[in-house]
Structures are given as structure tokens and as C-alpha cells.
Amino acid sequence: MSDDAITIEVDGKPVVARKGQMIIQATDAVGAYIPRFCYHEKLSIAANCRMCLVEVEKAPKPLPACATPVADGMKVFTRSPYAIAAQKATMEFLLINHPLDCPICDQGGECELQDLAMGYGRDVSRYTDKKRVVKDKNIGPLVSTDMTRCIHCTRCVRFGEEITGTPQLGTTERGENMKISTYIEQNVDHELSANIIDLCPVGALNNKPYRYSARAWEMTQRATVSAHDCVGSNMYAHVLRGRVKRIVPRENESINETWLSDRDRFSYEGIYSDDRLQKPMVKESGEWRELEWEDALTKAADALKGAAAEKLGILASPGITVEEAHLLANLADHLGTANIDHRLRRRDFSDQESDAPYPSLGCEIADVEQQDAILVAGSNIRREAPILAHRVRKAALAGGKISFVNSAAYEYFFDVHESIADGGLVSMLAGVAVAACGKAIPRSIENICDGVKADGTQKAIARSLKDADEALLLLGNVAARHRAAAAVRALAAAIAEATGAKLGTLSEGPNSAGASLAGVLPHRARGGAPRDNAGLHARDVLNEALDALVLVNVEPDTDITAIADATAKVAAQKFVIALTPYASESLLEAADLLLPVGTFAESSGTFINVAGTWQSFPGIANPVGEARPTWKVLRVIGNLVDAEGFDYVSSEDVLEEIRAQTVNIAVQADSGGKVAIGKPNGADAPADDIDIPIYSVDSVVRRATALQLTSEGRFANEGSDA
């Protein structure tokens, strides 16, 4: 038994607890439930609901279990008549002003107040006076309010203050007049803000897009995985008659804890956009017409068989599943082309041979918050990966030194150790590299660092990484899209090696790692093996005159930023086949054949997150129109072009094959390259950085109405916060 272990007695049974624990923590650990409203394991202790009152031997009155520390030999009674009477009295008090409108409340059927009222409430209220009525506030497009139901547990307030660092909700007045509200209307729009819906133990805060659309007991709960960033947050989809009605978090301490980003929570609206492609369509003489699947697949196969291998290109979204990526790479191999890529927003391919086999965080997601020092470079991390940004904030609150190097100043909502945001990314990182390496400048960055002198801030950043027992350097999406990305990576690798820090990357989409391992790359085959004859990368593919171009879940105008005028470049190709959920304007303009495929909700598959975790998920919703899972469409096309091995019965069969072929593939320790990188020569202009708005990252998110109504969505769509 450790020195901080003590023994207490709970309802006559001995329980081992730790010094400093509260009673409720000790009882939760052994499954002895105590009712509560304000207590939450991820928040500070408020002790303002008093529902967790228990009897403690020799105590003169009932004590709140959430705020009473354990003591050796303490005897606690959670179910004694004395404790039960105290809990029932508290429940009666909480229900005095509650409207008791369960039949019309969205929280009905899954309400903590409702559940505890069944166990601790009276069947008839003794309160006969008028009840309090609180005017509802419009706090934004994501969360609806019914504040008359509020019991002042303050979970929502503490969440903003402690978890996000954005005290957007607060309390005013006291006693019966106390209210929880925003100081500014429509102000609750932090990228994690909607977690207050899950935290609210009553029906005061609810999912606004879902409001009045279904009841909890009508829906089926199905486990799935986030499809919008490299974290792969775990989620539950609540489905009614085959249609997704809402998304809620699924607890996984190693990935997303109990939280979910607003992007993951509300993106499901985009599944049912008005521009969903209902049937296959072909363009003939400039006019679109519908056709049957058999005819559409035959046209696709004929176009692929008729294209010369060197005149065939394939571009895929980093949001395709591992299974889809595997089939796509197999199809490309059969057709004899290596012109295949998923890096649609990358602009610098000069040092791609030095890429790691797959992008990696460099540590486990949960380990991020344990770092003593972190340098985030080229990343608007709160927009790119909100859950990881939360982990970084936790590291800062624990005393870690968090520094940023970006071409623009972003908000972080915690005390930053050092921040540089006044120049090009290469020049700023070069100063940090000079400070970190001293006179031992690696050959790979000699040219870049020639004549560079480190200033005080750059020296402080390098020192923080060197002095830390655990340090991490994170390169974000902005760095990957930089016009001199090779120089950025080489500098980062040199800094990491000189300081002993781990080097990690935040990759595009939910499955860049899976697409890389599957060989959806022009220079790498499956498992990261170099190709004998490298093909054309994403930018060069579109600069060629192709016989056929295949787009998989790609909208040229928004998903391809590696090249200017992408839609026109796509339209210039001889025959363009698009596997897409949507009939977007750019695809209607540029494509010749549209094949309707499902979104992440309508197909089973697997994503590999940035920590290298493989996460499989089932199809959770019925397909819209005649949409088919992408892997099934690719399988049939493979059959029609006489490709070998395309006899899969299920996506699990595909997964089994790709896992066997990529087992034990390790991330190389040094991904900085050995070739000397030259100065960027004008490619380091801050204005050239590509920072994709948080609610514009993929086709589903762009069509989620509620997300587009947030301040971030309005800014992206209108160019202002107005």
C-alpha cells in the first residue's frame, strides 16, 4: 500500500482511498453511487447543488460528498435514513421553481434531474406559490436555452472558465434571482462550446439544430469516429429511421476524453444537404442527365481502360477510409499509373522523398498534456485540431512552457511562454534553429540559416525545449501548405534533434496516415516503400493533359489549393470521373461523370489518427438517394477493368488485407532530410500562408448550416464577423 493510501468505511464496507480525495471520488472508484448535479470529474468542485449530502460518523450535519476530503478511519453512510432524508430535502428544494415540463423537453428520457427525481422526489409538491420564470437568451446557433429549468449547478460556467479558457457564460445576481447568461448575445461559439449541452444535468441547455426533432427513446445509438481532423474523436450517433439526428461524445480518455468539438458534433447536418447527388449523372453535349448505376460504372471503366497509363490521374481526399485508399491504390497499380495523390493542399513537393511513411504526432494524444515544453509552428491549432489544442492548453495549465511560431497571431486562452508572429515561417524558425544548434548547424539547413541571428525570443524558445524533460515540436497544417514546406520541415527536424524534442505533425483530414500507408502517393507504394517509377503529385497532375482523371470526394474549388484555378484545370481534362456525395457547382462545371457515394455516416471503414491508432466504424445511417459506399464502387470498377484480387465481400475483408501488408511500419526518427535545402527566395511571404477556416475543411462540414451561422462560419463566408 502506498504512503498516500488510507482506508475508509462506506456503508459498512472498507474502501481504500487516497489522501486528498473527496468522498465522492472514493465511492465512484468502487461503484458506490452518490447522487449529484454540480459535481463533474473534469471540473472543479463547486458544492452548490447539495444533492450529494451523506452522513459521516460524528459529523453534526450531512456533508457534501464532493467537497469533503476523506480521512483515515472515516465512516460514510450514503444510504442511511439520515442521508436519504437530506438528499430528498435537497431534491424538493431544487424542484420548487422547476417548470416540470418533461413532456416537451428535449432532455426528457435522459435527464439527470428527471432520473433522480424518480428516486428522491415527492409525488406531490408542497410548494404552492408562483414559480420563477427566467427569460431565455440567444447564446448562438448551436445551443438552445430554457433557463427557467436551470438549477444553478454552474457546470457550464466552470467549463468555460476551466476547460476552454473562455468565460462566455457567467452568473449574475444572487439567491432566487441568480441567472446564468452571456454578457453578449450569440457569444457562445468557442470550437468546444457545445460540450455544455452534455454537461447540463437538466434541460436548460440543448442542441439547437436537433431541437424538437426526436425523443431519446426513439433513437438508436451507434458508435462512430470523427471524420474531420487527425484526432479521430470517438462519438455516438443517434439515429432515427436511418437518419442521423444528433452526435454526442463517446468517452475515450486516450483520445478525446469526454469532449467533442463543435465541428464533429454538428457536421451531420451536411449529410442531408439539398445538393446531395441522388443518382449517377453523365454530361453529354454540355448537358447533364441521369443514368443507371450499371451504365455509369461501365462508362467509368471504359474511360479508365481507354486512358494511357501516363495520361491517367487520381486525386483523393485525405478523408477517404483506409479501405477506400487501399482499393484506390490497387486500382492505380492495375492501370499502371503512379499519378495518384491525396495531398491536395500541399504546394512544395521538392523534398517529398524525406517524408515519413505516415504523418505522426510523435507521441500519444494523451501524452501531449504531459509535456514540459511545446513549440507549435505553422498551425492555427484551435482550428486544425480543437481536441489537441485542448490538450496543449492543459499542458500550459500544468506549468508547461508553450510557444508558438506563426505568421499570424492567434488566440490561445492561456498564458503563452513565447510567441513569434511577425514574419515568414522559414525566417522565424531559422532563428530558433540557430539558437538551438549553436555552431553545430546541420548541413540540411546551412543555406537557410546563413546570416541568420537569433533574437531574445527565439533563444528563449530554444532554451525552453532544451531544458524540458519532455518536449514536443508540432508542425501544423499551415506549415505543410507552405510554399517552402521542405525548408520548414528541415528547420523543425534540426531544432528537434538539437533540443531532444519529439517532432510531430498535424496532418490534413482524418486519414492522411491511412492514405499514406495505403500508397495513395506518387512516390511511395504501400507501407511507405519507394516506387520504382514515381508519378505526378497533385499539382503536376492538374498541369497535365490527361485522358482520364478520377476525383474521390474532392471538390476542386475548395479542396484543391495546391494550384490556382483548380476547377478550370480539372475541366480541361479529357474525361473526369467524380465519386462524390454532392453535385457541387464546381463538379457540375468540371466533371463528366458523377457517381453518388456515401459520406462517413453511410459506410463502414477505418481511419488512422495522427497517433497511429486504427479506428474502425460501421455505417450508421441509410444512404441518401442511390448513394453507395465508396469502397463498393471502387470494387466494382476494379472488376470491370479486370483488376486482380477485387473480390471483397465486405470492408472488413479489405481492412484485413491492408493491415497485413502494413504491419509494423514505423515512423522514421529523422524526417528532416539529408539534402541541403536552399533559401526560400520569396516563398516565405506571410500572406501566402494557407489557413483553412475551421468550418470549411471538407464537403460535409461546409454544408452544416448551424456551423456556418457561427461567427467563424460567417467570417469565412462573408469575410467579416458581421
Side-chain angles (χ1 to χ4, degrees):
M1 185 177 293
S2 63
D3 292 339
D4 65 346
I6 60 175
T7 301
I8 66 172
E9 188 178 288
V10 178
D11 296 330
K13 298 179 180 178
V15 171
V16 177
R18 297 191 319 272
K19 291 180 181 178
Q21 271 192 320
M22 301 299 153
I23 292 174
I24 201 168
Q25 295 170 326
T27 56
D28 282 354
V30 296
Y33 179 74
I34 297 174
R36 81 288 305 266
F37 290 116
C38 69
Y39 175 77
H40 191 279
E41 61 181 1
K42 297 294 183 181
L43 303 175
S44 65
I45 293 169
N48 47 16
C49 78
R50 319 308 281 186
M51 192 65 210
C52 65
L53 291 174
V54 294
E55 181 183 359
V56 177
E57 187 182 52
K58 298 181 181 179
K61 60 181 180 180
L63 299 179
C66 69
T68 304
V70 296
D72 196 27
M74 174 186 280
K75 293 184 179 181
V76 179
F77 305 93
T78 69
R79 304 296 298 167
S80 68
Y82 188 62
I84 296 280
Q87 293 161 1
K88 286 186 174 182
T90 299
M91 175 58 68
E92 184 176 17
F93 179 78
L94 290 174
L95 292 177
I96 281 176
N97 278 314
H98 195 80
L100 304 178
D101 57 347
C102 302
I104 63 165
C105 180
D106 275 330
Q107 197 82 354
E110 52 187 11
C111 175
E112 295 176 51
L113 182 69
Q114 193 178 49
D115 292 342
L116 292 181
M118 291 294 293
Y120 300 90
R122 298 172 61 93
D123 57 350
V124 177
S125 175
R126 293 183 292 177
Y127 184 78
T128 58
D129 293 335
K130 290 183 179 179
K131 295 194 174 191
R132 180 188 68 161
V133 177
V134 181
K135 185 179 179 181
D136 297 331
K137 284 283 189 85
N138 180 9
I139 63 174
L142 306 179
V143 183
S144 66
T145 62
D146 293 275
M147 301 312 294
T148 301
R149 301 170 183 160
C150 179
I151 62 170
H152 303 156
C153 72
T154 69
R155 282 184 180 180
C156 56
V157 177
R158 285 175 283 149
F159 173 80
E161 294 173 346
E162 300 164 12
I163 305 301
T164 66
T166 56
Q168 296 168 322
L169 287 170
T171 61
T172 59
E173 304 186 53
R174 300 182 66 187
E176 186 178 76
N177 297 318
M178 179 178 170
K179 298 181 181 66
I180 292 176
S181 68
T182 59
Y183 297 103
I184 304 172
E185 291 249 330
Q186 302 190 59
N187 191 46
V188 179
D189 58 2
H190 184 277
E191 59 274 7
L192 298 177
S193 64
N195 285 287
I196 60 177
I197 297 169
D198 310 312
L199 287 173
C200 183
V202 297
L205 302 172
N206 278 298
N207 184 319
K208 186 177 277 189
Y210 162 79
R211 191 170 174 87
Y212 299 143
S213 64
R215 304 313 302 257
W217 55 85
E218 298 177 308
M219 298 183 291
T220 302
Q221 180 169 273
R222 298 176 182 173
T224 187
V225 177
S226 160
H228 310 300
D229 62 36
C230 59
V231 173
S233 295
N234 289 201
M235 318 182 303
Y236 285 117
H238 291 168
V239 180
L240 177 63
R241 291 187 285 275
R243 187 180 177 98
V244 179
K245 304 301 290 186
R246 66 177 176 183
I247 299 286
V248 298
R250 176 161 56 99
E251 185 173 351
N252 186 330
E253 283 294 322
S254 64
I255 297 178
N256 56 298
E257 300 177 86
T258 60
W259 313 122
L260 196 61
S261 73
D262 292 353
R263 182 168 61 193
D264 294 332
R265 186 186 297 270
F266 296 104
S267 67
Y268 73 90
E269 285 190 299
I271 300 170
Y272 306 107
S273 172
D274 291 340
D275 64 348
R276 279 298 299 265
L277 182 61
Q278 302 288 323
K279 293 191 65 171
M281 297 177 68
V282 65
K283 185 189 291 182
E284 296 176 343
S285 302
E287 299 292 328
W288 285 99
R289 69 173 179 87
E290 294 181 348
L291 71 169
E292 297 301 319
W293 263 108
E294 184 177 355
D295 297 331
L297 291 168
T298 300
K299 282 185 176 292
D302 290 344
L304 295 176
K305 289 191 290 187
E310 68 276 6
K311 295 290 186 179
L312 173 62
I314 300 173
L315 298 178
S317 161
I320 62 173
T321 65
V322 172
E323 296 84 349
E324 293 159 2
H326 180 57
L327 291 175
L328 201 60
N330 282 354
L331 184 63
D333 290 345
H334 171 77
L335 296 170
T337 185
N339 303 331
I340 180 172
D341 210 344
H342 71 278
R343 303 165 299 172
L344 307 181
R345 291 172 175 154
R346 183 165 173 173
R347 295 183 290 178
D348 181 9
F349 299 90
S350 61
D351 195 32
Q352 64 178 4
E353 288 75 18
S354 298
D355 289 352
Y358 61 91
S360 170
L361 185 62
C363 63
E364 298 297 324
I365 291 172
D367 291 342
V368 171
E369 64 189 71
Q370 306 299 325
Q371 303 303 303
D372 302 311
I374 301 175
L375 171 58
V376 180
S379 175
N380 190 348
I381 190 169
R382 287 178 49 217
R383 293 354 184 208
E384 294 171 9
I387 294 296
L388 270 177
H390 165 62
R391 297 277 193 179
V392 171
R393 183 173 186 275
K394 289 178 73 175
L397 296 179
K401 295 180 178 180
I402 315 300
S403 303
F404 295 90
V405 176
N406 286 303
S407 297
Y410 303 122
E411 286 187 295
Y412 304 113
F413 303 114
F414 58 83
D415 291 334
V416 173
H417 174 59
E418 298 288 353
S419 179
I420 311 174
D422 56 357
L425 192 57
V426 174
S427 61
M428 292 185 292
L429 279 178
V432 180
V434 168
C437 299
K439 295 181 179 180
I441 302 291
R443 178 172 172 264
S444 60
I445 62 170
E446 280 181 344
N447 295 329
I448 308 172
C449 296
D450 185 34
V452 174
K453 293 184 179 180
D455 62 21
T457 302
Q458 291 163 329
K459 290 177 181 178
I461 292 173
R463 193 180 308 114
S464 70
L465 297 175
K466 280 187 175 180
D467 294 344
D469 293 330
E470 295 289 339
L472 176 65
L473 197 165
L474 277 179
L475 286 179
N477 291 174
V478 175
R481 304 171 194 140
H482 197 281
R483 290 192 182 277
V488 172
R489 183 177 57 186
L491 288 166
I495 295 168
E497 185 173 357
T499 61
K502 299 175 286 292
L503 178 60
T505 58
L506 301 179
S507 53
E508 294 273 3
N511 198 40
S512 286
S516 298
L517 281 174
V520 184
L521 291 168
H523 64 298
R524 297 269 180 83
R526 194 162 296 103
R531 293 187 185 273
D532 295 332
N533 296 297
L536 302 174
H537 52 68
R539 187 185 66 226
D540 285 353
V541 162
L542 294 183
N543 282 323
E544 289 290 310
L546 303 174
D547 294 337
L549 173 65
V550 180
L551 303 178
V552 183
N553 203 5
V554 174
E555 295 177 317
D557 59 331
T558 48
D559 291 326
I560 303 176
T561 56
I563 189 171
D565 303 320
T567 301
K569 295 280 188 179
V570 172
Q573 308 306 325
K574 186 176 179 180
F575 195 82
V576 178
I577 305 165
L579 283 67
T580 173
Y582 305 100
S584 68
E585 290 185 8
S586 64
L587 286 174
L588 291 173
E589 175 186 345
D592 298 285
L593 180 65
L594 300 180
L595 303 179
V597 295
T599 63
F600 73 95
E602 298 153 292
S603 176
S604 58
T606 303
F607 292 144
I608 304 175
N609 72 7
V610 75
T613 304
W614 296 58
Q615 300 189 103
S616 297
F617 52 90
I620 57 175
N622 294 340
V624 174
E626 295 186 11
R628 301 288 187 268
T630 301
W631 76 266
K632 286 188 176 182
V633 175
L634 293 172
R635 177 203 182 273
V636 176
I637 291 175
N639 293 150
L640 293 175
V641 300
D642 302 318
E644 294 183 0
F646 273 68
D647 300 320
Y648 310 100
V649 176
S650 67
S651 63
E652 287 78 12
D653 295 339
V654 186
L655 178 63
E656 184 178 351
E657 184 175 282
I658 180 64
R659 290 207 71 153
Q661 296 176 3
T662 57
V663 67
N664 298 326
I665 301 296
V667 180
Q668 59 199 48
D670 178 15
S671 60
K674 302 300 182 183
V675 179
I677 307 295
K679 286 185 176 292
N681 295 326
D684 195 30
D688 286 342
D689 287 351
I690 299 178
D691 181 11
I692 306 298
I694 185 173
Y695 301 134
S696 301
V697 294
D698 60 54
S699 59
V700 176
V701 171
R702 288 191 290 269
R703 290 167 170 83
T705 303
L707 294 177
Q708 303 309 319
L709 293 175
T710 63
S711 59
E712 289 279 356
R714 298 197 309 273
F715 181 82
N717 295 324
E718 303 170 10
S720 69
D721 278 320

